[in-house]
Amino acid sequence: MRNPVGLKFSPLHPVLAAECKGVDISAPISPEVADAIHDGMDQYGVLVFRQGKALTTEQQLRFTRSLGELEGLYTKIEAEAGARLETPLLSDISNLTPGNELLPAEDRKRQFQMGNRLWHSDSSYKKIPAKYSALCAHVIPPSGGETEFADMRAAWDMLDDVMKEKVKGLTAEHSRIFSKGTLGFQFTEKELHDFVPMPQPLVRTHPRTGRHSLYLSSHAGRIVGWPLPEALMLLRELTEHATQREFVYRHVWRVGDVVMWDNRVTMHRAQPYDDLKYPRDMRRSTLTSGAPALAYTETVPDLATAA
Ligand code: OGA
Ligand code: MN
C-alpha cells in the first residue's frame, strides 16, 4: 500500500527489512517524505533503496542529512596510507587503497575492517552512538560480500521472562579493542589509550515506538559489576539468541543499492568474499542518535511490565 506521499514499503523478510519504492533519493526529498521514511525505519529497522546507480558523495550526504544530523568525526586507527574518499563524512567501507588498488593481506586497514564480519551495531563504542547508517554500493564482488541484519527487537521479545529480568538494567562496556581484539588485531599504545570503553545499556527502548530491543555488539566486552567470564558468557549467549536465522535478513547487493538500518534496533555483519582478488567499494553515511543511550533508557518506567 502506498502512503500519502507515494512511498511504498515491500517487506523483504517476515520480521524486519523492506524495500522502499516510490522515491528518488538522489534528488532532494520533502520533509513529508522524510517523515514517511522515518515511519518505515520505525517499522522495519532496515530499508533498501534500489537506485540502480550509486549516489554521488553530495547526493548521499544530502539524503542522509535530510533525515537527521551526521555523526561527528572520531579517532581512527593509525594506518599508513591516507584517505581514499574526498570527504571524511563518508566512511570508506572498501578493500581499496587511496589509489584504488586492492589492499594487501597484511594491511592494517584491511585487518581492522575484518571486524565488520562480526555482528555489531555501528559506533556502539561511542558515548553517543549511531542512529541510522546508510551504505551505498559502488562496486561489488562477483560472489560473497552480502550483509546480514538481525532484529534486536524480535530478539528481546523472544527472550524468556527470566532472561528479560536478568538483563534489564545491565550496562555493558563497548570498545573496538574488544571487537577487533577477538580477531587478533594488534593495537598501538595510542589506540589502546584512545579507545576507552563506553557504557551502554543492554536493553534499549525506542523513543518513538516504545519497543524494547537488546543492545548488543561485538564491541561489547564487559558488563559493569560482573566478573569477566560470566559477562562474556552472557553476551555470547544473548548474541547467539539474537542472531538466530529467523531474526536475520541477508541483503544481496546490486550496484546502486542504498541500505539504511537503525543501529538502535539491529545488528549487522559483512559476509566474506575474496577480497584479495576482487574490489568491493561501499560508502557509508551515519546519523548520530543525538544523546547517550543510557539517558533515555533510564527514563523508561518499568521494562518488566511492558511486553
Ligand atoms: C558498515 C558495515 C558491512 C558490510 O558499513 O558499517 O558494517 O557488509 N558494513 O560492508
Ligand atoms: Mn558496521
Side-chain angles (χ1 to χ4, degrees):
M1 216 179 59
R2 286 183 189 271
N3 59 22
V5 286
L7 252 60
K8 186 170 183 263
F9 299 110
S10 308
L12 294 164
H13 181 278
V15 177
L16 76 166
E19 181 175 349
C20 180
K21 297 177 189 164
V23 58
D24 174 8
I25 63 168
S26 69
I29 59 170
S30 66
E32 292 74 26
V33 168
D35 284 349
I37 291 175
H38 285 300
D39 290 345
M41 289 296 284
D42 286 352
Q43 184 169 354
Y44 297 103
V46 180
L47 290 181
V48 174
F49 302 85
R50 293 209 186 263
Q51 293 289 118
K53 186 163 179 272
L55 299 180
T56 64
T57 296
E58 210 174 40
Q59 290 168 343
Q60 183 164 356
L61 291 176
R62 180 178 57 203
F63 170 66
T64 321
R65 281 189 170 123
S66 58
L67 297 169
E69 189 192 333
L70 292 181
E71 248 191 7
L73 304 178
Y74 193 74
T75 325
K76 293 204 179 313
I77 55 155
E78 299 180 70
E80 295 278 300
R84 188 178 69 95
L85 303 182
E86 60 199 287
T87 169
L89 296 173
L90 289 182
S91 300
D92 182 12
I93 311 294
S94 79
N95 59 336
L96 302 170
T97 67
N100 285 325
E101 303 287 333
L102 296 175
L103 291 171
E106 67 285 357
D107 185 271
R108 269 199 119 218
K109 179 182 156 194
R110 172 177 182 266
Q111 292 178 355
F112 195 75
Q113 295 227 70
M114 203 84 88
N116 278 351
R117 294 206 204 154
L118 303 171
W119 284 111
H120 66 283
S121 175
D122 290 334
S123 306
S124 70
Y125 49 82
K126 296 184 187 172
K127 182 171 180 194
I128 298 181
K131 183 179 180 180
Y132 303 160
S133 295
L135 190 60
C136 180
H138 289 247
V139 179
I140 56 174
S143 66
E146 303 87 0
T147 308
E148 294 190 332
F149 298 90
D151 192 321
M152 308 305 285
R153 306 163 301 182
W156 165 262
D157 291 345
M158 297 304 280
L159 282 180
D160 63 42
D161 290 344
V162 174
M163 193 53 119
K164 281 184 177 163
E165 196 60 35
K166 189 167 169 179
V167 301
K168 69 177 193 186
L170 291 180
T171 301
E173 290 185 343
H174 295 232
S175 165
R176 287 182 285 184
I177 292 169
F178 301 137
S179 46
K180 320 288 176 178
T182 50
L183 299 179
F185 188 80
Q186 300 290 310
F187 292 93
T188 63
E189 282 301 318
K190 181 175 183 309
E191 288 161 355
L192 289 173
H193 174 264
D194 287 347
F195 300 161
V196 288
M198 283 295 157
Q200 303 290 2
L202 203 48
V203 182
R204 297 182 78 167
T205 304
H206 191 286
R208 274 160 49 106
T209 66
R211 282 189 77 181
H212 300 312
S213 53
L214 281 176
Y215 191 36
L216 295 168
S217 187
S218 59
H219 304 305
R222 296 177 195 153
I223 293 176
V224 174
W226 280 42
L228 200 49
E230 277 94 327
L232 293 176
M233 270 324 300
L234 179 65
L235 292 170
R236 182 178 289 226
E237 189 184 343
L238 291 172
T239 302
E240 283 180 7
H241 162 79
T243 57
Q244 55 188 287
R245 294 319 299 180
E246 289 81 357
F247 306 153
V248 174
Y249 164 68
R250 163 186 276 234
H251 187 71
V252 180
W253 291 92
R254 292 185 216 162
V255 169
D257 284 358
V258 172
V259 178
M260 186 163 71
W261 60 91
D262 188 338
N263 287 291
R264 301 168 303 176
V265 302
T266 57
M267 278 205 290
H268 61 281
R269 68 172 177 184
Q271 292 295 98
Y273 67 103
D274 193 347
D275 74 299
L276 296 174
K277 199 161 166 197
Y278 299 108
R280 182 177 187 262
D281 181 354
M282 323 278 277
R283 303 176 188 188
R284 196 187 85 200
S285 43
T286 316
L287 293 180
T288 177
S289 58
L294 272 174
Y296 71 71
T297 302
E298 281 160 6
T299 64
V300 171
D302 185 1
L303 289 180
T305 53

